[in-house]
């Protein structure tokens, strides 16, 4: 076999292997999102798929545990983004007093969430799923607390509604995966 033929054959084998890996990974994401959306009516299948596809790390995840860690990190990234948005909004001079109060409250709960997510990641990596569940649940609560603060004020338009909803869903996806892993852990090997 001459060198060009050998190189073409090697390239064809590598591409075929890569294609199989990508197909298996897409299946993992699709199956995980299907299970998440079936177990929790607050999770949109399409939102779940889009969230994982937006993070290049998910394309290399080989199992549910890796995908769960990625989901927590996606949640952390979104919490960090919402904190930046809140700080940006708070810089506006013409900000209504009621909105400023709500934004201050949101900044506080989301800032606390960053530390909580770090702890959740440590627990998750150590397979202390129950502890990680509690911490991610508090992040989910932060999104609800922030949104509810705006609802308590009449005639106030919540400037963070979509972002709060995204953090809520991302937290719910992470919780759903944690719960799947925790059930597997409790069931043990057969």
């Amino acid at each position: 076999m001459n060198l060009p033929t050998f190189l073409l054959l090697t390239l064809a084998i590598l591409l075929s292997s890569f294609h199989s890996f990508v197909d298996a990974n897409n299946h993992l994401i699709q199956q995980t999102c299907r299970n998440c959306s079936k177990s929790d009516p607050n999770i949109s299948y399409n939102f779940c798929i889009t969230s994982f596809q937006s993070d290049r790390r998910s394309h290399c995840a080989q199992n549910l545990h890796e995908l769960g860690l990625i989901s927590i990190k996606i949640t952390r990234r979104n919490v960090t983004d919402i904190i930046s948005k809140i700080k940006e909004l708070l810089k506006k001079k013409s900000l209504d007093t009621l909105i400023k109060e709500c934004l201050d409250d949101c900044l506080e709960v989301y800032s606390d969430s960053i530390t909580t997510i770090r702890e959740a990641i440590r627990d998750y990596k150590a397979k202390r799923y129950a502890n990680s569940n509690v911490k991610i649940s508090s992040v989910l609560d932060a999104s609800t607390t922030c949104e509810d603060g705006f609802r308590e004020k009449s005639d106030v338009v919540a400037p963070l509604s979509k972002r709060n909803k995204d953090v809520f869903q991302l937290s719910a996806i992470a919780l759903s995966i944690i719960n799947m892993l925790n059930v597997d852990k409790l069931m043990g090997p057969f």
Side-chain angles (χ1 to χ4, degrees), residues 26-154:
N26 283 336
H27 179 73
L28 173 65
I29 292 171
Q30 290 168 357
Q31 187 62 46
T32 300
C33 289
R34 192 173 298 113
N35 290 342
C36 289
S37 63
K38 282 182 182 177
S39 69
D40 187 337
N42 295 306
I43 299 172
S44 158
Y45 173 79
N46 290 333
F47 179 87
C48 182
I49 293 288
T50 302
S51 298
F52 282 119
Q53 289 176 342
S54 73
D55 191 303
R56 61 180 172 73
R57 295 173 293 195
S58 65
H59 304 288
C60 300
Q62 295 185 15
N63 56 49
L64 186 60
H65 188 268
E66 288 178 17
L67 207 54
L69 181 59
I70 292 164
S71 74
I72 296 171
K73 289 180 178 183
I74 293 171
T75 303
R76 178 181 60 192
R77 183 180 68 226
N78 276 264
V79 169
T80 302
D81 288 347
I82 202 168
I83 288 170
S84 295
K85 181 63 176 176
I86 293 167
K87 288 178 179 178
E88 176 186 316
L89 290 169
L90 284 169
K91 289 179 182 176
K92 292 184 178 182
K93 302 287 184 211
S94 61
L95 197 60
D96 179 81
T97 306
L98 294 175
I99 292 178
K100 183 183 181 323
E101 288 174 14
C102 291
L103 288 172
D104 284 335
D105 291 343
C106 290
L107 182 58
E108 183 179 339
V109 295
Y110 277 124
S111 294
D112 291 344
S113 293
I114 293 296
T115 302
T116 304
I117 292 172
R118 281 190 204 112
E119 294 169 1
I121 289 172
R122 271 192 298 263
D123 287 335
Y124 185 88
K125 287 179 176 179
K127 297 186 179 183
R128 294 186 299 263
Y129 298 126
N131 294 347
S132 187
N133 180 309
V134 169
K135 291 172 177 115
I136 296 299
S137 293
S138 74
V139 175
L140 186 141
D141 290 343
S143 67
T144 304
T145 299
C146 178
E147 191 64 25
D148 288 349
F150 289 102
R151 289 187 185 141
E152 290 176 7
K153 316 289 185 199
S154 60

Side-chain angles (χ1 to χ4, degrees), residues 40 42 110 139-141 143-144 163-173:
D40 187 337
N42 295 306
Y110 277 124
V139 175
L140 186 141
D141 290 343
S143 67
T144 304
R163 292 171 190 261
N164 285 328
K165 184 178 179 184
D166 290 351
V167 170
F168 182 91
Q169 270 199 82
L170 291 167
S171 299
I173 291 166

